[in-house]
Amino acid sequence: MRTQVGIVGSGPAGLMLSHILHRHGIESVILEQRSRDYVLGRIRAGVLEQATVDLLVELGLDSRMKREGLIHTGIELQLDGQRHRIDFDALTGGRAVTVYGQTEITRDMMDARLAQGGQTIYEAEDVSVHGIETSKPSLRFRHNGDSEELQCDFIVGCDGFHGVCRPSFPAGVIQNFERVYPYGWLGILANVAPSSEELVYAYHDRGFALLSMRSTQVSRLYIQVAPDEDLKQWPDDRVWDELSIRLGTPGWTLRDEKSVTPMRSFVAEPMQHGRLFLAGDAAHIVPPTGAKGLNLAASDVKLLSDGLISFYATGNSAVLDGYSRKALERVWRAEHFSWFMTSMLHRTPEGDAFERKLQRSQLAYIFKSRAAAASLAENYVGLPFD
Ligand code: APR
Ligand code: PHB
């Protein structure tokens, strides 16, 4: 088998990349280790920056998002039971975010890819990467019991944090930067209309809580717990009680969809070696507090596709060679913002009183100062691609 760009992973990064390339006449094949149903069954993020929405519009992938996505012109920060609105519209000159589940975007992109006749090989096992320092790299894998090889011009690792591509860089090429937080989020999907129009990020002495949503009928709620929290200790009643205490507005019935997300910040530099590129979670992780994970996958893919399109049009690799440097600038801005939101809003288990004072002061500053609120708003809605 042969293609121009071999993509590992059919999450948002891999699918978006394949769509952009297709529109520019560049062929790609996606190898995904899971089944289509498994990928579509995962509950993932839900907040899209304006630039991510614009990219989906440009790709013609916005028809359902336009109907079902919820436009949010602000968020609420809560302290001592009081909610304070961060007005994106006023603070950023009319920018906003769209709430539309990553699972739905993935479904829209998979359907569109099927309609275009693009090739995705699901349940591709034991994918391995070869020849990245040559001009003829390849991917080997097993499918339906047969050994296969896909020859490519370029390989892009869109295979998430636990994928095979990042470990395929030769030893010593990658430098890792990491912070692991001493808490996780227990997330639930509640089959009920959200009890607030806006997302609410709540600071509480018992720990952080977040009210989010997937639609006008489905709420997505999180509470801070230990990173290795035992879900068995959290029957619905306890989750319910804790959410009611921390968010202070009861009224939900809970659906049985619970999970604990550990919180981590991680960046691998550089994001390219030879003919192997990394995009999305394969290269970096953010804690979810800044709602940046999916949006970073989109911006990586936009920058990388600019390079690939330019290479195929001109034979010149200058734009492609700048990918890692350009992408990392945006990655580090999002890393900082996600770390900032996370450390401002969570309770550290040791209960450091000094830290609590600093957090409260920072929140009070954002409530009072237009400049501080504008900085938060500008980062939350996301900076433009260029
Ligand atoms: N071989 C083939 N496919 C693989 C392999 C492998 N060895 N390892 C992982 N994959 C697949 C996974 O099954 C998954 O479908 O790669 C895909 C990676 O997708 P995501 O984890 O969704 O990562 P990405 O596309 O970068 O999207 C980033 O996803 O998790 C969220 O918060 C994250 O919103 C962010 C977004
Ligand atoms: C979500 O809806 O899943 C969500 C929203 C905002 C975040 C994180 C997750 O910061």
Side-chain angles (χ1 to χ4, degrees):
M1 292 165 69
R2 206 196 126 73
T3 192
Q4 290 176 298
V5 181
I7 299 173
V8 186
S10 84
L15 283 163
M16 241 181 256
L17 179 62
S18 72
H19 275 281
I20 301 178
L21 296 179
H22 173 82
R23 285 171 66 86
H24 289 83
I26 301 167
E27 205 187 273
S28 64
V29 172
I30 302 181
L31 302 184
E32 165 60 52
Q33 71 177 352
R34 305 287 191 171
S35 68
R36 182 186 142 94
D37 286 349
Y38 181 97
V39 173
L40 287 175
R42 296 190 289 221
I43 305 176
R44 290 290 184 85
V47 177
L48 309 183
E49 294 177 0
Q50 189 60 50
T52 306
V53 169
D54 292 347
L55 183 59
L56 292 168
V57 171
E58 193 186 315
L59 294 173
L61 291 166
D62 60 322
S63 59
R64 202 157 64 92
M65 179 179 69
K66 237 192 295 186
R67 288 198 308 276
E68 297 176 16
L70 307 172
I71 293 176
H72 281 240
T73 56
I75 52 169
E76 307 251 23
L77 293 181
Q78 180 173 324
L79 175 65
D80 295 336
Q82 304 275 337
R83 291 184 185 171
H84 180 95
R85 184 160 190 270
I86 305 292
D87 184 342
F88 296 158
D89 202 30
L91 291 165
T92 67
R95 292 171 76 82
V97 296
T98 299
V99 172
Y100 184 63
Q102 177 175 324
T103 312
E104 305 311 317
I105 298 175
T106 305
R107 182 185 298 280
D108 295 346
M109 289 194 289
M110 281 179 168
D111 289 350
R113 185 162 168 82
L114 210 60
Q116 285 159 3
Q119 197 181 3
T120 302
I121 301 176
Y122 293 101
E123 298 177 71
E125 294 170 56
D126 299 336
V127 174
S128 59
V129 178
H130 304 271
I132 60 171
E133 289 175 341
T134 73
S135 58
K136 291 193 176 66
S138 66
L139 290 164
R140 293 187 201 144
F141 60 102
R142 284 194 307 112
H143 190 236
N144 293 334
D146 295 329
S147 295
E148 308 275 2
E149 177 162 355
L150 176 65
Q151 294 178 346
C152 320
D153 299 334
F154 298 98
I155 293 171
V156 184
C158 297
D159 50 350
F161 185 61
H162 301 286
V164 290
C165 290
R166 193 176 68 250
S168 302
F169 278 40
V173 166
I174 284 197
Q175 197 181 353
N176 293 331
F177 302 86
E178 182 172 43
R179 170 157 309 181
V180 178
Y181 300 89
Y183 32 75
W185 282 9
L186 189 157
I188 56 157
L189 207 54
N191 207 0
V192 68
S195 68
S196 157
E197 273 180 30
E198 302 283 32
L199 274 72
V200 182
Y201 289 78
Y203 178 92
H204 197 281
D205 285 342
R206 297 171 71 94
F208 171 73
L210 170 61
L211 183 159
S212 180
M213 61 209 69
R214 285 292 172 275
S215 69
T216 53
Q217 299 309 317
V218 177
S219 300
R220 179 79 169 135
L221 300 147
Y222 300 94
I223 43 181
Q224 177 188 341
V225 294
D228 55 353
E229 192 77 26
D230 178 7
L231 281 175
K232 287 207 242 9
Q233 305 303 315
W234 287 91
D236 284 359
D237 282 356
R238 184 174 174 209
V239 175
W240 168 269
D241 289 348
E242 200 58 39
L243 279 166
S244 303
I245 293 169
R246 295 191 200 177
L247 284 159
T249 44
W252 305 288
T253 55
L254 302 178
R255 208 162 82 184
D256 194 24
E257 287 267 23
K258 297 200 205 82
S259 59
V260 175
T261 314
M263 313 267 285
R264 180 195 298 274
S265 298
F266 174 88
V267 181
E269 293 191 12
M271 291 167 64
Q272 175 206 357
H273 182 74
R275 293 262 174 147
L276 174 60
F277 294 80
L278 301 177
D281 278 16
H284 41 72
I285 294 287
V286 283
T289 327
K292 288 284 164 248
L294 172 61
N295 296 295
L296 274 186
S299 60
D300 284 357
V301 155
K302 171 77 178 92
L303 291 170
L304 178 56
S305 60
D306 286 348
L308 289 167
I309 292 162
S310 161
F311 176 84
Y312 281 109
T314 65
N316 184 324
S317 68
V319 181
L320 199 50
D321 295 340
Y323 164 69
S324 177
R325 187 188 49 75
K326 262 188 115 167
L328 282 164
E329 276 174 27
R330 201 178 168 90
V331 166
W332 277 111
R333 178 86 304 277
E335 288 288 345
H336 179 271
F337 179 65
S338 306
W339 162 84
F340 162 78
M341 288 287 281
T342 301
S343 25
M344 175 173 72
L345 289 165
H346 289 74
R347 187 188 177 96
T348 315
E350 303 81 66
D352 178 337
F354 187 81
E355 184 187 79
R356 300 297 281 169
K357 288 284 188 189
L358 291 179
Q359 291 172 321
R360 299 181 73 90
S361 168
Q362 181 64 38
L363 280 162
Y365 177 48
I366 291 168
F367 295 173
K368 255 202 198 134
S369 155
R370 185 184 166 92
S375 167
L376 191 154
E378 175 178 70
N379 279 280
Y380 197 97
V381 300
L383 296 158
F385 277 143
D386 291 317

Tab-separated table of all heavy atoms in Angstrom, residues 72-124:
chain	number	residue	atom	x	y	z
A	72	HIS	N	-21.376	30.478	23.390
A	72	HIS	CA	-21.246	31.051	24.730
A	72	HIS	C	-20.403	32.312	24.667
A	72	HIS	O	-19.252	32.265	24.265
A	72	HIS	CB	-20.598	30.038	25.681
A	72	HIS	CG	-21.563	29.007	26.155
A	72	HIS	ND1	-21.874	28.821	27.473
A	72	HIS	CD2	-22.318	28.123	25.462
A	72	HIS	CE1	-22.780	27.853	27.577
A	72	HIS	NE2	-23.054	27.411	26.371
A	73	THR	N	-20.978	33.415	25.120
A	73	THR	CA	-20.265	34.699	25.074
A	73	THR	C	-19.661	35.033	26.434
A	73	THR	O	-19.305	36.176	26.688
A	73	THR	CB	-21.218	35.827	24.641
A	73	THR	OG1	-22.327	35.832	25.553
A	73	THR	CG2	-21.727	35.600	23.229
A	74	GLY	N	-19.567	34.029	27.319
A	74	GLY	CA	-18.943	34.258	28.621
A	74	GLY	C	-18.898	32.975	29.425
A	74	GLY	O	-19.416	31.940	28.983
A	75	ILE	N	-18.219	33.050	30.580
A	75	ILE	CA	-18.267	31.960	31.566
A	75	ILE	C	-18.496	32.614	32.932
A	75	ILE	O	-18.339	33.837	33.083
A	75	ILE	CB	-16.954	31.140	31.635
A	75	ILE	CG1	-15.730	32.048	31.833
A	75	ILE	CG2	-16.792	30.247	30.428
A	75	ILE	CD1	-14.446	31.304	32.177
A	76	GLU	N	-18.848	31.773	33.912
A	76	GLU	CA	-18.988	32.289	35.279
A	76	GLU	C	-17.872	31.700	36.129
A	76	GLU	O	-17.580	30.496	36.051
A	76	GLU	CB	-20.321	31.839	35.886
A	76	GLU	CG	-21.516	32.169	35.034
A	76	GLU	CD	-22.381	33.263	35.615
A	76	GLU	OE1	-21.871	34.064	36.430
A	76	GLU	OE2	-23.564	33.310	35.245
A	77	LEU	N	-17.244	32.559	36.951
A	77	LEU	CA	-16.322	32.088	37.981
A	77	LEU	C	-17.047	32.248	39.312
A	77	LEU	O	-17.657	33.296	39.554
A	77	LEU	CB	-15.042	32.925	37.999
A	77	LEU	CG	-14.112	32.845	36.789
A	77	LEU	CD1	-12.890	33.735	37.015
A	77	LEU	CD2	-13.667	31.417	36.526
A	78	GLN	N	-17.007	31.218	40.163
A	78	GLN	CA	-17.742	31.291	41.434
A	78	GLN	C	-16.785	31.260	42.615
A	78	GLN	O	-15.877	30.432	42.673
A	78	GLN	CB	-18.722	30.113	41.513
A	78	GLN	CG	-19.540	30.099	42.786
A	78	GLN	CD	-20.625	29.032	42.764
A	78	GLN	OE1	-21.218	28.748	41.740
A	78	GLN	NE2	-20.892	28.434	43.923
A	79	LEU	N	-17.017	32.175	43.568
A	79	LEU	CA	-16.220	32.243	44.806
A	79	LEU	C	-17.174	32.564	45.954
A	79	LEU	O	-17.988	33.484	45.830
A	79	LEU	CB	-15.156	33.352	44.672
A	79	LEU	CG	-14.309	33.662	45.901
A	79	LEU	CD1	-13.416	32.488	46.282
A	79	LEU	CD2	-13.449	34.902	45.659
A	80	ASP	N	-17.090	31.813	47.031
A	80	ASP	CA	-17.960	32.025	48.195
A	80	ASP	C	-19.441	32.087	47.815
A	80	ASP	O	-20.186	32.958	48.270
A	80	ASP	CB	-17.552	33.324	48.917
A	80	ASP	CG	-16.156	33.217	49.510
A	80	ASP	OD1	-15.705	32.076	49.769
A	80	ASP	OD2	-15.507	34.255	49.695
A	81	GLY	N	-19.841	31.182	46.919
A	81	GLY	CA	-21.261	31.104	46.553
A	81	GLY	C	-21.734	32.222	45.630
A	81	GLY	O	-22.900	32.271	45.256
A	82	GLN	N	-20.843	33.118	45.243
A	82	GLN	CA	-21.222	34.218	44.338
A	82	GLN	C	-20.651	33.937	42.950
A	82	GLN	O	-19.475	33.593	42.841
A	82	GLN	CB	-20.607	35.536	44.814
A	82	GLN	CG	-20.940	35.933	46.219
A	82	GLN	CD	-22.270	36.667	46.299
A	82	GLN	OE1	-22.718	37.238	45.309
A	82	GLN	NE2	-22.891	36.612	47.459
A	83	ARG	N	-21.456	34.140	41.939
A	83	ARG	CA	-20.968	33.942	40.566
A	83	ARG	C	-20.609	35.288	39.935
A	83	ARG	O	-21.329	36.264	40.100
A	83	ARG	CB	-22.033	33.233	39.738
A	83	ARG	CG	-22.180	31.799	40.211
A	83	ARG	CD	-23.146	30.986	39.400
A	83	ARG	NE	-23.270	29.682	40.035
A	83	ARG	CZ	-24.168	28.767	39.693
A	83	ARG	NH1	-25.014	29.010	38.711
A	83	ARG	NH2	-24.209	27.614	40.326
A	84	HIS	N	-19.510	35.253	39.206
A	84	HIS	CA	-19.031	36.478	38.561
A	84	HIS	C	-18.839	36.164	37.079
A	84	HIS	O	-18.106	35.261	36.724
A	84	HIS	CB	-17.710	36.913	39.202
A	84	HIS	CG	-17.151	38.146	38.601
A	84	HIS	ND1	-17.365	39.399	39.125
A	84	HIS	CD2	-16.409	38.325	37.478
A	84	HIS	CE1	-16.777	40.302	38.360
A	84	HIS	NE2	-16.187	39.674	37.350
A	85	ARG	N	-19.515	36.926	36.221
A	85	ARG	CA	-19.467	36.600	34.795
A	85	ARG	C	-18.260	37.239	34.124
A	85	ARG	O	-17.958	38.416	34.328
A	85	ARG	CB	-20.746	37.093	34.104
A	85	ARG	CG	-20.817	36.701	32.663
A	85	ARG	CD	-22.251	36.756	32.132
A	85	ARG	NE	-22.320	36.156	30.812
A	85	ARG	CZ	-22.140	36.836	29.673
A	85	ARG	NH1	-21.908	38.118	29.703
A	85	ARG	NH2	-22.173	36.211	28.510
A	86	ILE	N	-17.544	36.432	33.338
A	86	ILE	CA	-16.478	36.956	32.484
A	86	ILE	C	-17.111	37.110	31.106
A	86	ILE	O	-17.435	36.104	30.450
A	86	ILE	CB	-15.270	35.994	32.413
A	86	ILE	CG1	-14.737	35.659	33.821
A	86	ILE	CG2	-14.160	36.565	31.536
A	86	ILE	CD1	-14.101	36.801	34.561
A	87	ASP	N	-17.283	38.354	30.715
A	87	ASP	CA	-18.035	38.666	29.501
A	87	ASP	C	-17.087	38.693	28.287
A	87	ASP	O	-16.468	39.712	28.007
A	87	ASP	CB	-18.707	40.033	29.719
A	87	ASP	CG	-19.598	40.434	28.561
A	87	ASP	OD1	-19.461	39.866	27.457
A	87	ASP	OD2	-20.427	41.333	28.765
A	88	PHE	N	-16.985	37.561	27.597
A	88	PHE	CA	-16.047	37.484	26.454
A	88	PHE	C	-16.377	38.543	25.409
A	88	PHE	O	-15.498	39.155	24.818
A	88	PHE	CB	-16.143	36.112	25.771
A	88	PHE	CG	-15.737	34.957	26.629
A	88	PHE	CD1	-16.196	33.671	26.329
A	88	PHE	CD2	-14.892	35.117	27.717
A	88	PHE	CE1	-15.817	32.585	27.100
A	88	PHE	CE2	-14.508	34.044	28.496
A	88	PHE	CZ	-14.978	32.770	28.185
A	89	ASP	N	-17.651	38.699	25.169
A	89	ASP	CA	-18.119	39.610	24.133
A	89	ASP	C	-17.532	41.014	24.362
A	89	ASP	O	-16.901	41.597	23.487
A	89	ASP	CB	-19.649	39.637	24.214
A	89	ASP	CG	-20.268	40.102	22.921
A	89	ASP	OD1	-19.646	39.859	21.869
A	89	ASP	OD2	-21.343	40.718	22.964
A	90	ALA	N	-17.735	41.510	25.586
A	90	ALA	CA	-17.265	42.871	25.896
A	90	ALA	C	-15.745	42.929	26.025
A	90	ALA	O	-15.123	43.924	25.654
A	90	ALA	CB	-17.904	43.344	27.199
A	91	LEU	N	-15.139	41.844	26.538
A	91	LEU	CA	-13.707	41.905	26.859
A	91	LEU	C	-12.807	41.580	25.671
A	91	LEU	O	-11.619	41.876	25.701
A	91	LEU	CB	-13.395	40.936	28.007
A	91	LEU	CG	-13.980	41.317	29.386
A	91	LEU	CD1	-13.940	40.133	30.340
A	91	LEU	CD2	-13.205	42.494	29.978
A	92	THR	N	-13.358	40.927	24.646
A	92	THR	CA	-12.493	40.512	23.532
A	92	THR	C	-12.999	41.070	22.200
A	92	THR	O	-12.573	40.612	21.138
A	92	THR	CB	-12.415	38.977	23.408
A	92	THR	OG1	-13.704	38.484	23.016
A	92	THR	CG2	-12.000	38.313	24.706
A	93	GLY	N	-13.907	42.013	22.256
A	93	GLY	CA	-14.407	42.596	21.016
A	93	GLY	C	-15.217	41.603	20.203
A	93	GLY	O	-15.014	41.463	18.989
A	94	GLY	N	-16.111	40.888	20.886
A	94	GLY	CA	-17.093	40.074	20.163
A	94	GLY	C	-16.707	38.631	19.914
A	94	GLY	O	-17.356	37.955	19.131
A	95	ARG	N	-15.658	38.144	20.569
A	95	ARG	CA	-15.304	36.737	20.362
A	95	ARG	C	-16.099	35.844	21.320
A	95	ARG	O	-16.629	36.301	22.328
A	95	ARG	CB	-13.796	36.524	20.544
A	95	ARG	CG	-13.007	37.223	19.420
A	95	ARG	CD	-11.528	37.223	19.679
A	95	ARG	NE	-10.906	35.928	19.429
A	95	ARG	CZ	-10.546	35.476	18.243
A	95	ARG	NH1	-10.771	36.219	17.177
A	95	ARG	NH2	-9.965	34.303	18.111
A	96	ALA	N	-16.201	34.564	20.991
A	96	ALA	CA	-17.022	33.635	21.776
A	96	ALA	C	-16.469	32.223	21.624
A	96	ALA	O	-15.561	31.995	20.821
A	96	ALA	CB	-18.464	33.684	21.272
A	97	VAL	N	-16.980	31.289	22.405
A	97	VAL	CA	-16.665	29.871	22.194
A	97	VAL	C	-17.957	29.139	21.864
A	97	VAL	O	-19.047	29.656	22.105
A	97	VAL	CB	-15.984	29.220	23.431
A	97	VAL	CG1	-14.627	29.842	23.713
A	97	VAL	CG2	-16.872	29.289	24.668
A	98	THR	N	-17.814	27.937	21.295
A	98	THR	CA	-18.985	27.122	20.967
A	98	THR	C	-18.915	25.825	21.747
A	98	THR	O	-17.869	25.173	21.759
A	98	THR	CB	-19.018	26.814	19.447
A	98	THR	OG1	-19.114	28.051	18.746
A	98	THR	CG2	-20.208	25.931	19.078
A	99	VAL	N	-20.000	25.461	22.410
A	99	VAL	CA	-20.048	24.194	23.124
A	99	VAL	C	-20.673	23.152	22.200
A	99	VAL	O	-21.840	23.267	21.798
A	99	VAL	CB	-20.858	24.345	24.432
A	99	VAL	CG1	-21.083	22.990	25.089
A	99	VAL	CG2	-20.137	25.280	25.393
A	100	TYR	N	-19.853	22.188	21.799
A	100	TYR	CA	-20.295	21.125	20.887
A	100	TYR	C	-19.348	19.959	21.126
A	100	TYR	O	-18.128	20.122	21.038
A	100	TYR	CB	-20.206	21.628	19.446
A	100	TYR	CG	-20.730	20.665	18.392
A	100	TYR	CD1	-22.072	20.282	18.368
A	100	TYR	CD2	-19.880	20.141	17.410
A	100	TYR	CE1	-22.550	19.411	17.397
A	100	TYR	CE2	-20.352	19.285	16.432
A	100	TYR	CZ	-21.683	18.916	16.420
A	100	TYR	OH	-22.156	18.054	15.462
A	101	GLY	N	-19.892	18.793	21.491
A	101	GLY	CA	-19.051	17.689	21.960
A	101	GLY	C	-18.021	17.224	20.940
A	101	GLY	O	-18.303	17.117	19.749
A	102	GLN	N	-16.843	16.930	21.448
A	102	GLN	CA	-15.781	16.376	20.592
A	102	GLN	C	-16.243	15.084	19.921
A	102	GLN	O	-15.879	14.800	18.781
A	102	GLN	CB	-14.551	16.111	21.450
A	102	GLN	CG	-13.407	15.470	20.718
A	102	GLN	CD	-12.174	15.356	21.609
A	102	GLN	OE1	-11.902	16.223	22.426
A	102	GLN	NE2	-11.432	14.294	21.456
A	103	THR	N	-17.060	14.312	20.641
A	103	THR	CA	-17.584	13.069	20.071
A	103	THR	C	-18.431	13.371	18.825
A	103	THR	O	-18.389	12.641	17.838
A	103	THR	CB	-18.446	12.340	21.124
A	103	THR	OG1	-17.701	12.302	22.344
A	103	THR	CG2	-18.790	10.941	20.695
A	104	GLU	N	-19.180	14.476	18.890
A	104	GLU	CA	-20.035	14.846	17.744
A	104	GLU	C	-19.183	15.306	16.563
A	104	GLU	O	-19.446	14.957	15.419
A	104	GLU	CB	-21.014	15.969	18.142
A	104	GLU	CG	-21.866	15.657	19.360
A	104	GLU	CD	-22.535	14.286	19.285
A	104	GLU	OE1	-23.040	13.936	18.198
A	104	GLU	OE2	-22.525	13.559	20.296
A	105	ILE	N	-18.147	16.088	16.849
A	105	ILE	CA	-17.245	16.530	15.769
A	105	ILE	C	-16.612	15.311	15.115
A	105	ILE	O	-16.492	15.225	13.887
A	105	ILE	CB	-16.097	17.398	16.327
A	105	ILE	CG1	-16.654	18.644	16.973
A	105	ILE	CG2	-15.098	17.755	15.246
A	105	ILE	CD1	-15.588	19.467	17.651
A	106	THR	N	-16.198	14.361	15.958
A	106	THR	CA	-15.550	13.159	15.434
A	106	THR	C	-16.521	12.419	14.518
A	106	THR	O	-16.156	11.990	13.420
A	106	THR	CB	-15.100	12.264	16.617
A	106	THR	OG1	-14.286	13.044	17.485
A	106	THR	CG2	-14.318	11.064	16.148
A	107	ARG	N	-17.782	12.305	14.955
A	107	ARG	CA	-18.782	11.620	14.131
A	107	ARG	C	-18.972	12.353	12.797
A	107	ARG	O	-18.987	11.737	11.727
A	107	ARG	CB	-20.116	11.550	14.882
A	107	ARG	CG	-21.221	10.823	14.135
A	107	ARG	CD	-22.536	10.906	14.890
A	107	ARG	NE	-22.468	10.264	16.200
A	107	ARG	CZ	-22.560	8.947	16.397
A	107	ARG	NH1	-22.723	8.137	15.372
A	107	ARG	NH2	-22.486	8.447	17.602
A	108	ASP	N	-19.079	13.683	12.847
A	108	ASP	CA	-19.271	14.470	11.618
A	108	ASP	C	-18.092	14.254	10.659
A	108	ASP	O	-18.275	14.100	9.449
A	108	ASP	CB	-19.387	15.970	11.946
A	108	ASP	CG	-20.629	16.292	12.781
A	108	ASP	OD1	-21.529	15.436	12.877
A	108	ASP	OD2	-20.685	17.403	13.351
A	109	MET	N	-16.877	14.236	11.209
A	109	MET	CA	-15.695	14.093	10.353
A	109	MET	C	-15.587	12.678	9.787
A	109	MET	O	-15.189	12.492	8.639
A	109	MET	CB	-14.426	14.459	11.128
A	109	MET	CG	-14.336	15.950	11.390
A	109	MET	SD	-12.706	16.505	11.931
A	109	MET	CE	-12.610	15.842	13.553
A	110	MET	N	-15.960	11.673	10.608
A	110	MET	CA	-15.917	10.291	10.105
A	110	MET	C	-16.928	10.104	8.978
A	110	MET	O	-16.627	9.466	7.967
A	110	MET	CB	-16.242	9.321	11.235
A	110	MET	CG	-15.079	9.063	12.174
A	110	MET	SD	-15.647	7.924	13.446
A	110	MET	CE	-14.069	7.497	14.196
A	111	ASP	N	-18.135	10.661	9.160
A	111	ASP	CA	-19.170	10.531	8.126
A	111	ASP	C	-18.718	11.189	6.829
A	111	ASP	O	-18.878	10.639	5.738
A	111	ASP	CB	-20.488	11.169	8.606
A	111	ASP	CG	-21.138	10.346	9.714
A	111	ASP	OD1	-20.667	9.207	9.960
A	111	ASP	OD2	-22.090	10.848	10.348
A	112	ALA	N	-18.143	12.401	6.971
A	112	ALA	CA	-17.704	13.133	5.780
A	112	ALA	C	-16.565	12.378	5.080
A	112	ALA	O	-16.505	12.317	3.849
A	112	ALA	CB	-17.254	14.536	6.164
A	113	ARG	N	-15.702	11.775	5.866
A	113	ARG	CA	-14.569	11.051	5.278
A	113	ARG	C	-15.065	9.822	4.512
A	113	ARG	O	-14.574	9.514	3.428
A	113	ARG	CB	-13.588	10.638	6.381
A	113	ARG	CG	-12.331	10.003	5.847
A	113	ARG	CD	-11.207	9.996	6.848
A	113	ARG	NE	-10.139	9.114	6.365
A	113	ARG	CZ	-9.212	9.472	5.490
A	113	ARG	NH1	-9.195	10.693	4.998
A	113	ARG	NH2	-8.293	8.609	5.091
A	114	LEU	N	-16.049	9.159	5.091
A	114	LEU	CA	-16.637	7.995	4.428
A	114	LEU	C	-17.241	8.413	3.085
A	114	LEU	O	-17.041	7.764	2.061
A	114	LEU	CB	-17.730	7.434	5.349
A	114	LEU	CG	-18.014	5.950	5.297
A	114	LEU	CD1	-16.760	5.162	5.673
A	114	LEU	CD2	-19.154	5.611	6.288
A	115	ALA	N	-17.960	9.553	3.099
A	115	ALA	CA	-18.619	10.054	1.892
A	115	ALA	C	-17.601	10.403	0.807
A	115	ALA	O	-17.869	10.260	-0.388
A	115	ALA	CB	-19.476	11.267	2.236
A	116	GLN	N	-16.407	10.856	1.231
A	116	GLN	CA	-15.358	11.235	0.257
A	116	GLN	C	-14.599	10.032	-0.262
A	116	GLN	O	-13.754	10.161	-1.136
A	116	GLN	CB	-14.302	12.111	0.942
A	116	GLN	CG	-14.691	13.521	1.212
A	116	GLN	CD	-13.803	14.103	2.305
A	116	GLN	OE1	-12.877	13.455	2.799
A	116	GLN	NE2	-14.080	15.338	2.676
A	117	GLY	N	-14.828	8.882	0.340
A	117	GLY	CA	-14.071	7.698	-0.042
A	117	GLY	C	-12.670	7.675	0.544
A	117	GLY	O	-11.798	6.937	0.086
A	118	GLY	N	-12.434	8.489	1.591
A	118	GLY	CA	-11.121	8.476	2.252
A	118	GLY	C	-10.930	7.181	3.022
A	118	GLY	O	-11.891	6.634	3.560
A	119	GLN	N	-9.705	6.699	3.066
A	119	GLN	CA	-9.484	5.399	3.693
A	119	GLN	C	-9.056	5.504	5.154
A	119	GLN	O	-8.069	6.167	5.489
A	119	GLN	CB	-8.419	4.617	2.904
A	119	GLN	CG	-8.440	3.137	3.254
A	119	GLN	CD	-7.373	2.356	2.490
A	119	GLN	OE1	-6.584	2.926	1.736
A	119	GLN	NE2	-7.341	1.052	2.715
A	120	THR	N	-9.813	4.858	6.031
A	120	THR	CA	-9.417	4.706	7.439
A	120	THR	C	-9.413	3.213	7.719
A	120	THR	O	-10.395	2.529	7.438
A	120	THR	CB	-10.421	5.387	8.384
A	120	THR	OG1	-10.528	6.765	8.051
A	120	THR	CG2	-9.955	5.268	9.842
A	121	ILE	N	-8.306	2.726	8.243
A	121	ILE	CA	-8.249	1.318	8.610
A	121	ILE	C	-8.414	1.220	10.123
A	121	ILE	O	-7.510	1.604	10.871
A	121	ILE	CB	-6.932	0.670	8.129
A	121	ILE	CG1	-6.851	0.811	6.602
A	121	ILE	CG2	-6.848	-0.798	8.566
A	121	ILE	CD1	-5.569	0.302	5.995
A	122	TYR	N	-9.592	0.785	10.560
A	122	TYR	CA	-9.849	0.611	11.987
A	122	TYR	C	-9.266	-0.716	12.437
A	122	TYR	O	-9.044	-1.622	11.629
A	122	TYR	CB	-11.353	0.644	12.274
A	122	TYR	CG	-11.960	2.007	12.028
A	122	TYR	CD1	-12.684	2.274	10.856
A	122	TYR	CD2	-11.790	3.035	12.941
A	122	TYR	CE1	-13.224	3.527	10.617
A	122	TYR	CE2	-12.323	4.297	12.713
A	122	TYR	CZ	-13.044	4.534	11.552
A	122	TYR	OH	-13.568	5.777	11.306
A	123	GLU	N	-9.061	-0.861	13.719
A	123	GLU	CA	-8.520	-2.078	14.314
A	123	GLU	C	-7.210	-2.501	13.648
A	123	GLU	O	-6.981	-3.667	13.361
A	123	GLU	CB	-9.573	-3.193	14.296
A	123	GLU	CG	-10.784	-2.773	15.146
A	123	GLU	CD	-11.927	-3.768	15.157
A	123	GLU	OE1	-11.744	-4.828	15.765
A	123	GLU	OE2	-12.976	-3.472	14.548
A	124	ALA	N	-6.383	-1.471	13.358
A	124	ALA	CA	-5.027	-1.724	12.859
A	124	ALA	C	-4.165	-2.015	14.088
A	124	ALA	O	-4.014	-1.146	14.950
A	124	ALA	CB	-4.508	-0.502	12.120
